[in-house]
Amino acid sequence: MEAKKQLRQLTPYKPGKPIEEVKREFGLEKIVKLASNENPYGCSATVKDAILSEVNQLALYPDGYSAELREALSQFLHVSKDQLIFGNGSDEIVQILSRSYLGEGSNTIMATPTFPQYKHNAIIEGAEVIEVPLVAGEHDLEAMLQAINEQTKIVWLCSPNNPTGNHITESAFAAFMKRVPKHVLVVSDEAYYEYVEAEDYPETVPYLQQYPNLVILRTFSKAYGLAALRVGYGIASEEIISGIEPAREPFNTSRIAQKAALAALQDQDFIKACFTKNRDGIQQYYDFCEAHGLYCFPSQANFVFIDVEQNSDELFNYLLERGYIVRAGTALGYPNAVRITVGSAEQNEAILTHIAAFLASRTTV
Ligand SMILES: *Cc1c(COP(=O)(O)O)cnc(C)c1O
């Protein structure tokens, strides 16, 4: 018995080191994980009660249509209820889109480096993967357009891009959409939408009226702080949504997750507060990089990507031994960079003190 041959070239997703393991390995008491872009402030205080309201209903299947959350989100986004699809995280929407559109004989285009799940799912479906290198951390939209052919099914845009944090501007996005052939789906993955400050970041939802080949992905995992509960969603034309709905598991989001997401959505003050604190945190990293002559990619997300001008594995280990988990650039296509989730002001200050000590120890030899 053998699994699909494509699976042999893949490895299961490797998450950052678990906190418990790091504690044991280095005999540390406190670990700060700044590796998965989780919200350092947790989630809205209203979420706990929303979850408790469901704990007597655990024997019942969830509402497969997510009616309550769907209603609230459709009003919030000013789209119809049938323009939404919910997933077990937006990861699952990536999977559903891949299952729906990709297969042998088709291809899909994405930047590199970018969020790895686009490629992973495309390989499972047997599609050809066309990777277009970023230029200075940004999507090379012209080269992505040139790569499109008759067999292209999906072009993935990640904005802000993970791991660089750069965004695609409104004018670039508008010009791109105009030129993409109608047989190609454009997926705009906006996992960090709530953190974006740039005024030239496009509000993509209104583009759906003009472009039935556009899909927008958002999530409750990042700014809303519900990564544990797995709720993400896609927004698209009713035609696309009804086309891909059969590829969705009927009960793919839980009762608890639906209630929690609804409560989280209704607390926009929490999102605003997190946005402000995140921008202050980013500034801490910018100031540090300026003082140390390092390049930090401009970030519209809740992480920074810093070029440390030497293989970053050593810095990664140095920080790990001191209880800080970050993401080394080696696995992300930039061996000299580290991706650090913006933490609380204290966490940022503490990790930057360690990085300064590390850099000082390198330059004195
Ligand atoms: C974190 C992340 C996701 C996945 O989020 P979930 O909703 O938790 O599955 C999707 N896209 C990008 C770019 C991300 O960074």
Side-chain angles (χ1 to χ4, degrees):
M1 297 264 281
E2 275 188 35
K4 279 180 173 178
K5 69 174 188 310
Q6 302 91 287
L7 294 184
R8 274 178 250 147
Q9 54 174 300
L10 296 173
T11 45
Y13 177 76
K14 213 165 142 245
K17 270 184 180 256
I19 290 178
E20 290 310 320
E21 189 184 314
V22 177
K23 271 189 189 171
R24 241 182 294 119
E25 200 174 324
F26 299 103
L28 294 163
E29 266 174 33
K30 199 188 84 186
I31 304 291
V32 179
K33 184 166 164 246
L34 299 174
S36 303
N37 306 337
E38 292 145 330
N39 189 333
Y41 308 104
C43 62
S44 163
T46 62
V47 165
K48 204 168 159 188
D49 280 342
I51 289 176
L52 289 176
S53 74
E54 281 299 305
V55 296
N56 292 324
Q57 310 264 44
L58 298 183
L60 302 177
Y61 278 106
D63 170 10
Y65 185 67
S66 311
E68 231 186 327
L69 177 60
R70 183 180 295 269
E71 174 73 42
L73 201 56
S74 83
Q75 283 178 23
F76 183 74
L77 297 169
H78 306 290
V79 296
S80 85
K81 287 187 279 189
D82 295 330
Q83 286 185 271
L84 296 170
I85 183 168
F86 293 95
N88 193 247
S90 53
D91 271 354
E92 199 200 8
I93 311 288
V94 173
Q95 185 189 53
I96 291 171
L97 287 166
S98 301
R99 278 187 88 176
S100 304
Y101 289 93
L102 303 179
E104 253 154 69
S106 68
N107 71 56
T108 180
I109 300 168
M110 62 202 68
T112 184
T114 191
F115 188 58
Q117 291 305 305
Y118 318 142
K119 181 176 181 177
H120 189 91
N121 281 283
I123 290 173
I124 291 174
E125 301 306 333
E128 181 196 351
V129 175
I130 301 173
E131 295 180 282
V132 178
L134 298 174
V135 174
E138 294 187 15
H139 283 61
D140 185 347
L141 294 177
E142 187 58 41
M144 292 176 92
L145 277 169
Q146 295 306 324
I148 293 174
N149 62 27
E150 288 291 310
Q151 285 70 48
T152 304
K153 296 288 185 187
I154 306 180
V155 179
W156 304 89
L157 305 180
C158 187
S159 177
N161 187 49
N162 182 359
T164 53
N166 296 68
H167 71 294
I168 295 170
T169 65
E170 166 116 52
S171 58
F173 179 78
F176 180 79
M177 288 307 299
K178 221 180 241 173
R179 289 172 62 197
V180 172
K182 295 288 162 267
H183 72 274
V184 177
L185 203 67
V186 175
V187 179
S188 179
D189 183 349
E190 304 175 358
Y192 302 95
Y193 171 85
E194 295 81 8
Y195 284 118
V196 174
E197 179 187 52
E199 296 202 341
D200 60 359
Y201 181 76
E203 199 56 71
T204 49
V205 171
Y207 282 80
L208 293 170
Q209 288 165 22
Q210 204 184 337
Y211 295 105
N213 59 330
L214 174 63
V215 180
I216 300 158
L217 303 186
R218 305 233 178 115
T219 180
F220 284 95
S221 298
K222 304 286 160 64
Y224 287 97
L226 299 180
L229 293 177
R230 316 304 302 126
V231 200
Y233 56 97
I235 321 162
S237 62
E238 292 182 7
E239 297 73 36
I240 288 183
I241 298 295
S242 61
I244 64 176
E245 266 288 328
R248 181 178 69 79
E249 296 269 344
F251 303 111
N252 63 334
T253 57
S254 73
R255 252 173 202 286
I256 285 176
Q258 290 175 22
K259 280 282 189 218
L262 178 64
L265 180 70
Q266 286 163 342
D267 188 356
Q268 288 298 315
D269 287 345
F270 175 79
I271 298 296
K272 277 197 207 99
C274 291
F275 167 86
T276 304
K277 285 185 271 193
N278 180 64
R279 288 316 306 179
D280 292 346
I282 297 238
Q283 194 59 47
Q284 288 177 273
Y285 288 91
Y286 285 172
D287 291 346
F288 175 89
C289 288
E290 202 179 309
H292 289 81
L294 297 177
Y295 181 70
C296 181
F297 288 76
S299 177
Q300 292 298 323
N302 67 337
F303 54 83
V304 286
F305 201 50
I306 299 173
D307 186 339
V308 293
E309 297 176 356
Q310 55 191 296
N311 188 293
S312 66
D313 286 349
E314 254 185 87
L315 173 59
F316 173 85
N317 287 319
Y318 181 94
L319 293 171
L320 197 61
E321 287 164 19
R322 286 154 184 82
Y324 290 81
I325 314 176
V326 300
R327 232 22 218 228
T330 331
L332 304 171
Y334 282 88
N336 286 2
V338 279
R339 193 193 69 191
I340 306 172
T341 302
V342 175
S344 66
E346 300 71 43
Q347 290 172 334
N348 301 332
E349 204 178 294
I351 195 172
L352 286 172
T353 304
H354 287 302
I355 296 175
F358 171 83
L359 293 171
S361 72
R362 299 297 108 163
T363 45
T364 47
V365 285

